[in-house]
Amino acid sequence: MEFNPKKKTSNFILLAIAFAIVSLILWNTNSFFKKFKEEERLKMEIWATAQSELLQYSEDMDMGNLTIKVLQNNTSTPMILVNKDGSIKTNNMPTDKVKDSVYLHRNIQIFQSENTPISIDQGGEHLATLYYGNSEVLNKLKYYPIALLLIILLFGAVIFFFFKTNKASEQNKLWAGMAKETAHQIGTPLSSLLGWNELLKSEEINPEITKEIDKDISRLETITERFSKIGSLPELREVDIVQETKEAYEYLKLRSSKLIHFSFNSKVEKLPVLLNSSLYNWTIENLVKNGIDAMKGKGSIAIDIVPAGKYVNILVADTGGGIPKSDYHTIFNPGVTSKKRGWGLGLSLVKRIVEEYHQGKIKVLSSGKEGTIMQISLKVNP
């Protein structure tokens, strides 16, 4: 498998460039907002000047088109004009609320917080005070940087999960490559062992010895097959789950310490399930060996098969120290292990075999000082 050492660096450079571009857009948006606000302030000062002229006009004076045009041209900025006599005039505000004094005073406070009020004076005399808020366009523009910031955060999260998924994918390819290479390496000495065992059979030795060697060679062939199938979609065929589990149980029982008490129980004599026998046996082996490790080599292992409607539950129980409830889900993550020696791949592979390859479920059914029960649920083949 090929890895590019510069790939990680280039990814971070691209991420930095992307953030720089978005940050520049954010800065430009903020600058535009300030500029727009300044122009709106200037527009309101011109309106205030026109209003002061309007207040000075008498009925017999010609007002002029410019003053009228300036006053009528502003149709977007909400305004409240408070005259020196206390009377209030509004512009660009809801007509059904302009007579509500509470509404007007509340908006005066809001406008004061958004913009500094403009005092309308003429010849040293105070005529009115203009309170104005942000126009609809300015309000929308005000929230644009927040929306952009959320986009940046979302963009960063997407990039992070992309890198994380990409890394996990590379790790999976690495494990699959290592497993296939291991299977290939085991194949050579395995072929040699087959030849040597055939030679031993031709000699006058105890046939029980070659018989046990045959079993171990068969076991090595099974292990080789398991490793060779990692990363590939396994072939499933209909088998009797009771018989398949019992065979795995018997093999492990014969090769385990006499200090381990094994028991097997099934509620049914036969039950068809779509399985890859090699990978399923690997699953049972992993769960049993984990149980033995938890018991420190001394205790009881019980395997029970219990039908549950369209499913069958395979329970593997041990009398070990138990698993903390907070770790029920994390124990299936790669690299999680309580052993001083180990890579924490056993239960991760078990979960993948059960859930991805066989569309089943595996969970910690219960765990405590009395021991742990792991449950595999597989769909019964109709």
Side-chain angles (χ1 to χ4, degrees):
M1 182 178 178
E2 296 181 358
F3 290 94
N4 186 356
K6 295 182 180 179
K7 186 175 180 182
K8 187 174 181 181
T9 304
S10 63
N11 285 340
F12 277 111
I13 290 173
L14 288 172
L15 182 62
I17 291 172
F19 268 103
I21 291 171
V22 177
S23 299
L24 186 62
I25 294 171
L26 185 64
W27 179 79
N28 281 329
T29 303
N30 188 52
S31 299
F32 179 71
F33 176 79
K34 289 181 179 178
K35 184 69 176 175
F36 196 88
K37 196 172 179 67
E38 288 172 2
E39 289 183 357
E40 195 158 280
R41 174 77 180 184
L42 179 60
K43 183 173 70 173
M44 294 309 302
E45 287 176 349
I46 294 172
W47 190 94
T49 302
Q51 182 67 28
S52 69
E53 291 183 4
L54 176 65
L55 294 173
Q56 293 298 312
Y57 280 121
S58 59
E59 293 182 359
D60 58 343
M61 294 176 65
D62 185 14
M63 189 180 301
N65 292 330
L66 181 61
T67 302
I68 296 173
K69 194 171 184 65
V70 169
L71 293 172
Q72 291 179 345
N73 194 45
N74 194 339
T75 58
S76 59
T77 308
M79 297 176 284
I80 299 176
L81 183 70
V82 181
N83 294 308
K84 65 179 180 179
D85 59 1
S87 62
I88 294 176
K89 181 183 178 182
T90 63
N91 196 17
N92 302 323
M93 296 187 70
T95 55
D96 57 330
K97 294 184 177 181
V98 294
K99 294 182 180 180
D100 187 346
S101 60
V102 175
Y103 170 79
L104 291 175
H105 282 92
R106 184 170 67 248
N107 274 275
I108 286 173
Q109 292 176 349
I110 294 172
F111 291 169
Q112 273 185 302
S113 66
E114 290 179 346
N115 301 288
T116 304
I118 298 174
S119 179
I120 301 175
D121 303 311
Q122 186 74 30
E125 181 186 0
H126 176 70
L127 302 177
T129 302
L130 175 64
Y131 301 92
Y132 71 97
N134 294 329
S135 64
E136 187 179 351
V137 174
L138 196 60
N139 277 328
K140 288 180 179 179
L141 193 63
K142 179 174 66 175
Y143 294 111
Y144 181 73
I146 298 173
L148 193 60
L149 186 61
L150 292 174
I151 291 172
I152 293 173
L153 294 174
L154 181 62
F155 176 75
V158 169
I159 293 295
F160 171 76
F161 284 113
F162 171 77
F163 286 161
K164 189 176 180 181
T165 304
N166 192 41
K167 184 178 178 182
S169 177
E170 288 184 352
Q171 288 177 340
N172 286 337
K173 289 179 181 177
L174 177 62
W175 295 127
M178 288 176 62
K180 290 181 184 295
E181 180 62 21
T182 301
H184 176 72
Q185 294 294 334
I186 291 175
T188 303
L190 185 58
S191 299
S192 179
L193 282 173
L194 283 167
W196 282 110
N197 196 42
E198 289 302 318
L199 184 62
L200 286 174
K201 288 178 182 178
S202 65
E203 301 292 332
E204 293 182 0
I205 62 171
N206 187 349
E208 289 297 322
I209 295 175
T210 55
K211 185 179 178 181
E212 288 302 315
I213 293 175
D214 273 335
K215 288 181 181 179
D216 287 329
I217 289 174
S218 176
R219 187 64 175 178
L220 283 172
E221 288 175 337
T222 301
I223 292 170
T224 303
E225 184 186 0
R226 290 173 182 172
F227 278 104
S228 67
K229 287 181 178 178
I230 290 179
S232 304
L233 193 64
E235 182 183 348
L236 305 181
R237 60 185 182 87
E238 186 180 289
V239 297
D240 177 15
I241 190 69
V242 179
Q243 182 62 30
E244 202 66 42
T245 308
K246 194 170 184 179
E247 286 178 4
Y249 160 82
E250 293 291 348
Y251 181 87
L252 293 167
K253 180 180 179 181
L254 290 173
R255 282 157 179 76
S256 298
S257 168
K258 300 300 180 184
L259 298 175
I260 305 296
H261 177 263
F262 281 83
S263 64
F264 178 85
N265 181 54
S266 176
K267 301 291 184 182
V268 289
E269 293 184 2
K270 189 176 181 180
L271 207 56
V273 173
L274 284 176
L275 276 184
N276 180 282
S277 299
S278 178
L279 294 179
Y280 175 72
N281 289 340
W282 196 1
T283 298
I284 297 298
E285 181 181 330
N286 264 301
L287 294 179
V288 169
K289 286 185 175 179
N290 275 356
I292 292 173
D293 289 340
M295 298 185 301
K296 299 184 175 11
K298 185 179 180 181
S300 298
I301 294 286
I303 300 179
D304 294 277
I305 298 177
V306 183
K310 294 181 180 180
Y311 290 84
V312 57
N313 295 328
I314 301 95
L315 309 177
V316 180
D318 64 66
T319 55
I323 303 167
K325 198 165 186 178
S326 57
D327 295 340
Y328 278 16
H329 296 288
T330 58
I331 59 169
F332 294 105
N333 295 336
V336 177
T337 179
S338 58
K339 304 172 188 176
K340 291 182 179 179
R341 294 182 180 181
W343 289 8
L345 295 176
L347 287 178
S348 174
L349 284 170
V350 165
K351 184 179 178 67
R352 186 168 185 174
I353 289 168
V354 172
E355 297 190 355
E356 292 186 26
Y357 293 161
H358 292 88
Q359 306 303 310
K361 290 289 182 183
I362 182 167
K363 66 178 181 179
V364 181
L365 187 63
S366 65
S367 190
K369 293 180 180 179
E370 298 79 16
T372 299
I373 302 175
M374 304 293 289
Q375 175 180 287
I376 299 172
S377 298
L378 297 173
K379 194 171 183 179
V380 176
N381 199 37

